[in-house]
Amino acid sequence: MPLLEPKPGTLRPRSISGPAPDRMPEHRAAGTPEPLRTELAELLGPEKVLWKVSDLVRYATDASPYRFVPQVVVIAEDIDDVSAVLSYAHGRQREVVFRAAGTSLNGQAQGEDILVDVRRHWAGIEVLDGGRRARIRPGTTVLRANAALARHGRVLGPDPASAIACTLGGVVANNASGMTAGTTRNSYRTLSSLTFVLPGGTVVDTADPLADEELARAEPALCHGLMEIKKEIEADPELVRRIRAKYEIKNTTGYRLDAYLDGNTPVEILRGLMVGSEGTLGFISEVVFDTLPLDRELCSALLFFPSLPAAAAAVPLFNEAGAIAVELMDGNTLRASVSVAGVPADWAELPKGTTALLVEFRAPDEAGRDAYERRAAEVLAGLDLVAPVPSVTNAFTRDAHTISGYWKARKAFVTAVGGARASGTTLITEDFAVPPSRLAEACEALLELQARHGFDAAVAGHAAHGNLHFLLAFDAAKPADVQRYAAFMDAFCRLTVERFDGSLKAEHSTGRNIAPFLELEWGPKATGLMWRTKRTVDPDGVLAPRILLDRDPLAHLRGLKTIPKVEAVADPCIECGFCEPTCPSEDLTTTPRQRIVLRREMMRQPPGSPVLDGLLEAYGYDAVDTCAGDSTCKLACPVGIDTGALMKDFRHRRHSPREERAAALAARRFRTVEGAARLAVAAADKIGDRVGDGLLAAVTGAARKAVRPDLVPEWLPQIPGAAARKLPDTRRVGAAAVYYPACVNRIFGGPEGRPGPSLPEAVVAVSERAGKPVWIPRDVTGTCCATIWHSKGYDAGTRVMANRIVEAAWGWTAGGRLPLVVDASSCTLGIAHEVVPYLTDDNRALHAELRIVDSVVWAAEELLPHLEVLRTVGSAVLHPTCSMRHLEDEAQLRTVAEACADEVVVPDDAGCCAFAGDRGMLHPELTASATAREAAEVTARPFDAHLSANRMCEVGMDRATGRGYYSVLLELEHATRP
């Protein structure tokens, strides 16, 4: 063990609430049992088999209220792996569940035996026919697919609220629809073709003209069985009418029986059955969608009504006017949404009965939008609206920022309302549909039912389609609470079916919590045909048992998960998974959701548990060390959970008092440390030239093993040489701003082999050129934004440097009269925001007077209007840093780049590079994993310039792509140089 390796016990929870009834049992502490582990490792390769107890626990949770721990997790890379697992399962009488994003709300992504991850290696989109079609792999998020299609003016039909995280495989397997899809734009209606693997291993491409012929040879019994069911349905006119009627409103309960009516051959029938089958009939390996026009001209309004009935009465009026979306939010939903950034705080004061409709019209051009606005005005004129708080406008707007805020509040329904629930309670999300004409009646009946059973009453939904959503929170560790939930579900299902003839699942698919009520909705004959369908396609019951079909009337009460209380910053998490696609370590170790899930399992365990010991043993590297600390998870989380901050706190816990003192001393003597660092970089550069990078890598590698990998950086050939000892000469008199060269740019030089000025020289030159001269204080040496200490959890050192930089900046800027321009985006974020919690009261007051401006914003807004661009490069690819996302200045990066290049590209897969100051040197594997997809996009074509706004991020991208990244300000200086 390395000399300074922290002990796992330092991360032991300070108070353990276990043992919980759903805890991982002690006999599973060793992880995957034998011979399962060895057999799968031999079949697929050990790198594709996750077997540790921590692996099994982190995959045991999705966005649902259920929790089932698999026996093993397989990371499938291709169809051969999937076929091999299915063959193995058949031969060993085992069960298989496929999991992609894990955003399903009803336990569809959980299994109790072999769980197959089909997200990690299954992303990709191919745009076809100028965007009119798209071939998409199942691990691709809806957001990523739509980003590629947007360049062609197209979009997918399904638009679930979880688009940031949910993948197309899951969308199709659940027939998820969303805000605008209704019954005409969902997966069932917009799929052109799909490729899937049947339980027996047969691969079917429904677009292949020979597909039926080949399927008949491979699976004759299956083909015969499907056609027999089709004949039986078609011979019963009453059943045909019932099936057609059920799909006039949104319905994802059970199998799509209309597939038997819409398809004429076994392959055509299977194409329909696979949609909404929840992985119970096969694995969907590829989908081809018919896309829809992306209407970019919008007008939207958030309209407030005094009551639910008043709002519901307005819904058909907007439908008739051509609105593409009419979304409903009741008062409880609106009030809970104030936890979402950007939602007006005064919504918290809305009267109880207040209900809002989010109404949106979309048109292909301005003329179409004008026509919609006239229709909307006519509807508005006849409505009785209220404005109970000042932020309410009750007016249609074209402003993109305002519209985005409306949708953010609406899409955050689950996480915002769920995040406001009582600590320790399990959250269940239900959705159902009724005929739109009975929307108000259904809302009132639901709210009354919630109140009668002691649940907080809240409802939201796609009002235009009669599709409503509601949440239930209860403590799954308390039998009385579970019985209260059971009584509610029984009453709710009977209400929906018997009073409204509605759909128990409108778009979330059947799942574990509605499977027992399937026959209540469909009746015995139709339900029997669904069971026959399952037996025909999967006669051995290998795929996803008990997820869609279950004869146990209490199946919805099995596997309910407890939610033990954890650290305050993470406690509101409902495990929705929205954070995962943005996480740099997603494909390496753990995600923010999984970090919290593992922490909760620790709390479920009793003291001395071997499961707890196993989780702690893995948590240091898997969760803490490989967290980039970029906090982009906070941006993706609708309730703003910052798992990065939690991991920094855990790093702090692992520090010994001696380490904290040493870090604080380094902060107090940073002038000396900075000079020594620059000399060390210069020396290493010279040594590398003489002996080669291999020897330096070997030396640092040995030191890392002896001391601790998280303390000793690994030498990387891409590390730049030293910066010049002297900063450019500037004058304070007449300066338009104070320029603060970040310590990273005072220690490290620019890209090797690129002629021209250094970054500080470029900033000074281009500012002077624009008539906005800047001044560099002579005493900047020895100061820092404090990120060096903050990112590692050294609280004492952070306090020292945070207060020093604010006091210095106060003096440099004459009490905030001049802006402080910072030339590294992470340092801008650090000084502007991250230092604040560490400041004294006096210095917090000084900080409030400072104007911290990122150099890219300075260039875009203050310099560019006064500069003449004399030359441009042909093409430039940008790497927006994660700090820029926090600062919301990515647009300014693009503005500067567009002034310097004829073509500017931001990769669709651009994300945090995870270099994170020096973390990319401490854990190079983290940066390699985080940048893999972005690097693949960048290296797929040549670019004339590779631009960013942070030196160490540029180094990370250098390493990932083999291309030379440099500051966009260097390119601006070159473009405007006389």
Side-chain angles (χ1 to χ4, degrees):
M1 178 180 288
L3 182 63
L4 297 180
E5 187 71 17
K7 297 178 180 179
T10 58
L11 296 176
R12 189 176 299 273
R14 290 167 178 167
S15 61
I16 295 179
S17 56
D22 61 335
R23 68 188 180 279
M24 182 82 153
E26 289 189 8
H27 72 266
R28 300 197 59 186
T32 299
E34 295 291 1
L36 178 61
R37 173 185 164 188
T38 298
E39 288 177 348
L40 284 176
E42 290 174 350
L43 178 68
L44 304 167
E47 72 283 356
K48 297 178 184 178
V49 179
L50 303 182
W51 59 270
K52 294 187 303 183
V53 64
S54 59
D55 295 325
L56 306 184
V57 167
R58 66 190 174 96
Y59 271 93
T61 295
D62 59 12
S64 78
Y66 298 100
R67 182 170 176 273
F68 293 98
V69 182
Q71 293 289 326
V72 68
V73 177
V74 170
I75 308 296
E77 288 189 4
D78 50 34
I79 283 184
D80 288 344
D81 285 346
V82 171
S83 296
V85 170
L86 290 175
S87 176
Y88 175 85
H90 274 286
R92 302 294 194 282
Q93 291 78 51
R94 305 202 73 106
E95 301 165 357
V96 176
V97 170
F98 298 108
R99 175 192 177 106
T103 55
S104 59
L105 296 167
N106 301 295
Q108 298 98 310
Q110 296 181 44
E112 300 173 76
D113 195 1
I114 301 173
L115 187 70
V116 183
D117 182 315
V118 289
R119 178 202 56 80
R120 186 178 300 185
H121 298 291
W122 296 84
I125 175 171
E126 179 186 3
V127 178
L128 307 171
D129 302 333
R132 289 187 295 277
R133 294 189 306 140
R135 187 186 310 279
I136 309 173
R137 305 194 75 206
T140 309
T141 65
V142 174
L143 184 71
R144 173 65 176 84
N146 278 334
L149 289 168
R151 289 193 290 271
H152 303 271
R154 308 293 290 185
V155 69
L156 295 175
D159 64 336
S162 56
I164 187 176
C166 69
T167 59
L168 267 301
V171 167
V172 174
N174 290 283
N175 198 22
S177 48
M179 314 292 179
T180 66
T183 59
T184 60
R185 294 163 61 106
N186 60 21
S187 296
Y188 189 81
R189 299 299 178 193
T190 60
L191 263 182
S192 174
S193 66
L194 69 163
T195 301
F196 51 86
V197 184
L198 290 168
T202 303
V203 179
V204 179
D205 178 359
T206 65
D208 184 349
L210 300 177
D212 271 298
E213 181 181 328
E214 294 174 356
L215 181 62
R217 282 198 299 267
E219 307 259 8
L222 184 152
C223 293
H224 176 74
L226 293 177
M227 296 309 291
E228 286 298 305
I229 296 173
K230 175 179 172 64
K231 289 178 184 178
E232 186 172 333
I233 292 174
E234 292 179 335
D236 187 337
E238 182 58 34
L239 181 58
V240 170
R241 282 193 295 271
R242 180 61 177 161
I243 291 171
R244 291 301 188 193
K246 288 294 290 178
Y247 294 110
E248 288 178 0
I249 62 174
K250 294 174 71 171
N251 190 324
T252 59
T253 312
Y255 292 125
R256 290 281 312 209
L257 290 181
D258 56 345
Y260 288 106
L261 303 176
D262 298 332
N264 295 314
T265 70
V267 167
E268 290 178 359
I269 293 170
L270 282 171
R271 173 239 173 260
L273 285 172
M274 285 293 166
V275 178
S277 63
E278 304 176 52
T280 63
L281 300 180
F283 166 60
I284 299 171
S285 63
E286 184 178 87
V287 294
V288 178
F289 272 95
D290 291 322
T291 64
L292 301 170
L294 175 59
D295 294 334
R296 300 179 188 271
E297 300 298 327
L298 311 181
C299 64
S300 305
L302 193 58
L303 307 175
F304 288 75
F305 297 81
S307 66
L308 258 171
V315 173
L317 303 178
F318 286 113
N319 283 345
E320 292 167 10
I324 192 169
V326 184
E327 297 291 303
L328 180 144
M329 293 176 278
D330 81 331
N332 287 341
T333 301
L334 293 166
R335 286 186 289 275
S337 294
V338 298
S339 64
V340 178
V343 172
D346 62 7
W347 283 15
E349 308 303 320
L350 288 169
K352 183 176 181 180
T354 306
T355 305
L357 293 180
L358 170 54
V359 182
E360 182 160 291
F361 295 87
R362 300 178 189 171
D365 50 40
E366 290 189 9
R369 182 176 61 186
D370 292 343
Y372 278 137
E373 287 176 336
R374 288 192 293 271
R375 295 181 201 172
E378 292 174 3
V379 175
L380 279 181
L383 299 179
D384 182 19
L385 301 175
V386 295
V389 294
S391 66
V392 173
T393 62
N394 287 327
F396 278 87
T397 180
R398 299 179 178 184
D399 181 69
H401 181 76
T402 303
I403 293 172
S404 175
Y406 292 161
W407 279 108
K408 190 172 184 181
R410 169 60 190 94
K411 291 183 177 182
F413 169 65
V414 173
T415 40
V417 179
R421 76 198 189 284
S423 178
T425 55
T426 300
L427 188 72
I428 288 187
T429 305
E430 286 289 356
D431 89 302
F432 68 109
V434 299
S437 62
R438 303 187 69 183
L439 179 70
E441 183 186 356
C443 285
E444 291 183 315
L446 171 65
L447 293 173
E448 187 277 329
L449 191 66
Q450 288 175 304
R452 191 193 327 154
H453 288 270
F455 291 106
D456 291 337
V459 64
H462 315 312
H465 311 293
N467 179 192
L468 297 171
H469 299 255
F470 64 93
L471 305 175
L472 305 173
F474 64 94
D475 190 341
K478 297 179 179 178
D481 252 20
V482 174
Q483 287 307 309
R484 181 165 60 98
Y485 161 66
F488 173 88
M489 283 300 295
D490 185 69
F492 159 72
C493 290
R494 294 194 177 280
L495 172 76
T496 302
V497 172
E498 295 172 359
R499 179 171 168 182
F500 296 103
D501 193 21
S503 307
L504 291 175
K505 280 296 179 185
E507 62 178 1
H508 293 167
S509 218
T510 314
R512 296 178 184 272
N513 51 344
I514 291 298
F517 302 97
L518 183 63
E519 187 169 325
L520 174 66
E521 176 175 338
W522 275 98
K525 184 164 188 177
T527 304
L529 291 172
M530 293 181 189
W531 278 97
R532 278 180 57 190
T533 297
K534 171 66 171 173
R535 289 193 299 270
T536 298
V537 179
D538 184 19
D540 296 327
V542 168
L543 288 181
R546 307 193 71 174
I547 284 179
L548 189 148
L549 297 170
D550 199 325
R551 299 192 190 279
D552 180 0
L554 300 179
H556 58 304
L557 307 181
R558 191 177 72 94
L560 291 170
K561 67 184 175 188
T562 61
I563 304 291
K565 187 173 183 179
V566 292
E567 286 76 12
V569 66
D571 199 51
C573 175
I574 62 165
E575 303 171 4
C576 66
F578 285 19
C579 56
E580 293 193 337
T582 192
C583 179
S585 59
E586 178 188 28
D587 290 336
L588 179 67
T589 50
T590 58
T591 67
R593 171 169 61 175
Q594 292 173 340
R595 290 175 169 99
I596 295 171
V597 163
L598 289 166
R599 199 69 182 165
R600 284 176 170 163
E601 181 59 33
M602 293 179 197
M603 300 300 293
R604 292 187 183 100
Q605 295 296 322
S609 160
V611 172
L612 175 59
D613 291 341
L615 296 177
L616 287 169
E617 185 70 30
Y619 202 77
Y621 176 78
D622 287 352
V624 181
D625 291 346
T626 53
C627 174
D630 63 310
S631 294
T632 52
C633 51
K634 179 181 179 181
L635 300 178
C637 176
V639 291
I641 293 174
D642 189 348
T643 313
L646 178 62
M647 294 304 107
K648 291 171 188 174
D649 180 62
F650 286 161
R651 289 171 189 166
H652 173 66
R653 288 193 201 180
R654 295 198 298 177
H655 297 155
S656 67
R658 183 176 62 182
E659 287 179 285
E660 282 287 328
R661 288 193 298 271
L665 180 63
R668 284 191 289 271
R669 298 183 179 177
F670 190 62
R671 179 185 294 272
T672 301
V673 172
E674 179 184 332
R678 196 192 64 78
L679 288 174
V681 169
D685 194 36
K686 291 180 181 178
I687 294 172
D689 289 342
R690 293 178 182 176
V691 304
D693 293 314
L695 179 59
L696 285 172
V699 171
T700 57
R704 284 162 59 79
K705 290 180 181 178
V707 181
R708 178 179 157 196
D710 211 49
L711 287 179
V712 180
E714 179 177 320
W715 174 258
L716 303 177
Q718 293 80 13
I719 297 299
R725 293 184 60 185
K726 192 168 182 283
L727 291 166
D729 289 326
T730 55
R731 298 180 58 195
R732 183 169 190 169
V733 176
V738 177
Y739 169 33
Y740 181 69
C743 66
V744 66
N745 293 320
R746 304 194 305 262
I747 295 172
F748 293 104
E752 184 177 352
R754 177 178 170 80
S758 66
L759 179 58
E761 290 169 339
V763 173
V764 169
V766 77
S767 298
E768 184 74 35
R769 206 171 287 159
K772 302 270 187 174
V774 294
W775 171 61
I776 303 175
R778 293 187 177 181
D779 57 345
V780 295
T781 303
T783 63
C784 173
C785 66
T787 300
I788 295 173
W789 294 268
H790 179 243
S791 66
K792 294 178 172 59
Y794 289 112
D795 288 1
T798 304
R799 280 193 293 273
V800 169
M801 190 54 72
N803 285 281
R804 179 186 297 174
I805 186 60
V806 168
E807 291 167 2
W810 175 259
W812 295 334
T813 62
R817 284 193 285 274
L818 291 176
L820 184 74
V821 176
V822 185
D823 66 3
S825 57
S826 59
C827 302
T828 308
L829 179 66
I831 299 174
H833 300 287
E834 292 177 344
V835 301
V836 175
Y838 299 90
L839 299 176
T840 64
D841 290 343
D842 288 345
N843 284 342
R844 194 172 286 118
L846 299 184
H847 182 273
E849 300 296 323
L850 296 176
R851 287 182 291 155
I852 316 299
V853 180
D854 189 76
S855 56
V856 172
V857 176
W858 171 252
E861 298 179 356
E862 300 295 334
L863 306 186
L864 261 182
H866 307 285
L867 291 170
E868 181 183 2
V869 175
L870 301 175
R871 60 193 66 83
T872 59
V873 295
S875 61
V877 63
L878 301 186
H879 174 71
T881 69
C882 52
S883 298
M884 302 186 86
R885 289 187 59 196
H886 285 284
L887 294 166
E888 298 183 346
D889 56 15
E890 292 169 284
Q892 287 91 335
L893 174 67
R894 186 168 195 125
T895 296
V896 177
E898 287 175 343
C900 305
D902 302 328
E903 178 196 12
V904 173
V905 173
V906 177
D908 291 332
D909 284 315
C912 175
C913 69
F915 210 84
D918 64 354
R919 193 142 297 268
M921 293 184 279
L922 298 172
H923 297 287
E925 70 278 13
L926 176 60
T927 290
S929 178
T931 56
R933 292 181 183 174
E934 181 178 358
E937 272 193 82
V938 171
T939 56
R941 57 159 287 188
F943 290 97
D944 298 311
H946 301 75
L947 307 176
S948 190
N950 189 293
R951 191 69 195 100
M952 299 318 289
C953 296
E954 292 155 16
V955 172
M957 292 307 298
D958 287 356
R959 181 169 175 77
T961 65
R963 310 271 182 93
Y965 277 74
Y966 54 93
S967 172
V968 69
L969 298 182
L970 291 175
E971 193 60 49
L972 179 64
E973 190 283 326
H974 178 260
T976 60
R977 190 185 304 165

